[in-house]
Amino acid sequence: MKYKGFAYIYTIGCQMNVYDSEKLLSVLKSIGYEETEVLDKADIVVCNTCTIRHKAQEKAYSFLGRLSKLKKKKPHLISVIAGCVAQQDGEKALKRLPGIDIVLGTQSFSRFAQLVEQVKGGRSNIVDIESKETIFEVMPDSSCNSKNEISRFVTIMQGCENFCTYCVVPYVRGKEKSRKPEAIIQEIELLAEYGIKEVTLLGQNVNSYGIKENDISFAKLLKKVNAVSSITRIRFATSHPKDLSDELIYALRDLEKVCCHLHLPVQSGSDRILKRMNRGYTKASYLKKIAKLKKECPKIAISTDLITGFPSETREDFDETLNLMKEVEFDSVYAFSYSDRSITPAMKFDGKIEEEEKRARLNELFAFQDFYTDKNNKKLIGKIESVLVEGASKKRMKTVNDTVNQSEGEINNFNDTIQMMGRTESNKIVHFAGNNIEPGMILDLKIEQAYPHSLWGTM
């Protein structure tokens, strides 16, 4: 059945949530809805949620709570809470938000169109969090590139079975399941046909792709994606350190389209904390793999995830993390203070750290990392970098040739030249000046200046 109306999707959380929102939007388009970015215009609102931290969960409930005013003006409005919070809370979501029409768990996306039809038929307060072993498949169509994007996410697997003691993913995403390589390649070929130049392959742990299914390895999948014409760059996330194989390191080295950048979450530099987190590796084994990466791929940029204030983390444990950061010299770090999640083992751990101390350690960690980010950026000054153009810069950059202070910010005189931006293979943002430059072009730029979070280059 086809309906008329507008759909508004609000996404909270990780790259996989962005991908899932795109698929949910595709379902709504297939039954007649058009996308809108204006909330008041919507006839159906979907909040695709994240529960990795308490703040993200409350953000979702806060947004959905504000919908009550809109529903009074538009009684026909369909409201949907989807994703990880929906999967985790189920019926509890209705107790907090009685006006919600659909609670759509992560395992129920394939039934989304049917649930919308049921609401149209008069039902409400539908909860669907039933687990299924199949993977939700929706192939892209020409509308996927309506915003002239050059990069897209492609999920290659779902779920996780590592059961890190702080993490909700195994409980809200289910068991690990890999998509068939044929379906992945078909999706990427369609994206290439519609003008996409770069794909990022997603999974909770891409390194274990295909193992349960006794299918091809992740490195072999990368080789197949590398052969897709018109795709110029390949990225992937996330890699679990315990499963990083030599085969994958060699793929990073040898496959010309695979970007020389690896996100390898370490979470802590303390063996005691890593064991308590159930991470499955030690500081020494992690550093051994980093050494192998740098030997085989000398230009590789490495980023990581870190958690401060995990239960019982001492100052000595935290210093071990800083020491690891010093040894690796990460290009960038994504760090968060530990957040209790009710369904995880760590929730019951003793030795909880005060919020003030967790925040203090987090701020110290960021300040410590700034030195290495700046150091790695400055190494590129004078080098020629291949940059995939993404579009116009969102803000103006000051350059050495400007008469204003030498830092990032507004520029007074740019001689009517358009300022553009793109990314290097190592995932560093580069701003540059140039007219008649189109998104998707790959340019060789000379890096002239390095800033804390970006570079400046010239053609």
Side-chain angles (χ1 to χ4, degrees), residues 417-452:
T417 303
I418 297 174
Q419 184 172 313
M420 306 292 288
M421 63 80 62
R423 291 180 191 269
T424 66
E425 283 195 37
S426 58
N427 205 35
K428 296 183 187 295
I429 294 173
V430 183
H431 300 272
F432 64 98
N435 293 324
N436 302 316
I437 304 297
E438 298 293 332
M441 295 174 66
I442 293 183
L443 304 176
D444 287 334
L445 301 180
K446 182 179 180 182
I447 305 304
E448 304 283 0
Q449 291 175 258
Y451 302 111

Side-chain angles (χ1 to χ4, degrees), residues 34-88:
E34 297 179 47
E35 182 183 11
T36 180
E37 296 181 359
V38 181
L39 181 59
D40 288 345
K41 192 177 179 181
D43 299 290
I44 183 169
V45 176
V46 179
C47 182
N48 193 15
T49 60
C50 171
T51 186
I52 200 73
R53 286 180 297 280
H54 179 72
K55 185 177 180 180
Q57 179 173 320
E58 291 308 304
K59 185 178 181 181
Y61 278 120
S62 175
F63 170 79
L64 289 162
R66 295 194 299 271
L67 280 185
S68 58
K69 292 182 180 179
L70 186 57
K71 291 199 82 168
K72 287 180 180 178
K73 292 192 295 183
K74 303 175 74 171
H76 70 280
L77 177 70
I78 298 174
S79 55
V80 183
I81 179 171
C84 295
V85 173
Q87 187 70 35
Q88 174 187 275

Side-chain angles (χ1 to χ4, degrees), residues 397-426:
M397 303 283 293
K398 297 173 184 177
T399 70
V400 170
N401 296 323
D402 299 316
T403 57
V404 291
N405 292 332
Q406 308 307 313
S407 62
E408 293 179 86
E410 282 295 318
I411 191 168
N412 292 333
N413 181 9
F414 215 78
N415 299 321
D416 297 323
T417 303
I418 297 174
Q419 184 172 313
M420 306 292 288
M421 63 80 62
R423 291 180 191 269
T424 66
E425 283 195 37
S426 58

Side-chain angles (χ1 to χ4, degrees), residues 78 101-102 115-127:
I78 298 174
D101 294 297
I102 301 173
L115 300 178
V116 172
E117 186 173 345
Q118 290 177 29
V119 174
K120 285 285 189 178
R123 283 193 64 190
S124 63
N125 298 146
I126 299 171
V127 177

Side-chain angles (χ1 to χ4, degrees), residues 121-267:
R123 283 193 64 190
S124 63
N125 298 146
I126 299 171
V127 177
D128 189 342
I129 57 173
E130 184 182 352
S131 296
K132 295 288 184 180
E133 290 300 317
T134 57
I135 289 182
F136 177 50
E137 294 273 11
V138 176
M139 286 296 165
D141 57 28
S142 58
S143 68
C144 78
N145 208 13
S146 58
K147 298 177 183 178
N148 198 30
E149 296 173 320
I150 53 95
S151 182
R152 297 283 285 201
F153 299 129
V154 176
T155 291
I156 65 169
M157 60 193 302
Q158 296 176 355
C160 181
E161 297 174 41
N162 286 311
F163 290 96
C164 300
T165 56
Y166 54 83
C167 186
V168 299
V169 169
Y171 308 99
V172 297
R173 287 280 182 179
K175 293 182 178 181
E176 198 172 85
K177 302 181 287 289
S178 298
R179 294 177 66 192
K180 290 290 184 184
E182 297 80 12
I184 296 167
I185 297 303
Q186 181 188 1
E187 181 170 347
I188 294 171
E189 286 175 341
L190 284 169
L191 290 172
E193 182 180 329
Y194 300 137
I196 298 300
K197 299 296 182 184
E198 176 185 84
V199 292
T200 300
L201 308 181
L202 300 179
Q204 261 74 41
N205 177 21
V206 294
N207 294 352
S208 60
Y209 171 82
I211 292 176
K212 283 184 67 176
E213 292 78 9
N214 197 27
D215 213 325
I216 63 173
S217 67
F218 180 55
K220 288 184 172 62
L221 176 67
L222 284 175
K223 188 173 182 180
K224 286 181 174 290
V225 179
N226 194 73
V228 176
S229 60
S230 299
I231 293 296
T232 57
R233 284 189 177 174
I234 304 164
R235 302 186 187 275
F236 56 88
T238 296
S239 292
H240 197 297
K242 72 179 178 62
D243 297 317
L244 179 63
S245 65
D246 286 351
E247 184 188 25
L248 180 54
I249 292 174
Y250 299 145
L252 277 162
R253 180 193 66 189
D254 298 335
L255 298 176
E256 69 276 8
K257 294 181 183 179
V258 177
C259 292
C260 200
H261 169 249
L262 181 65
H263 186 67
L264 197 64
V266 66
Q267 306 301 1

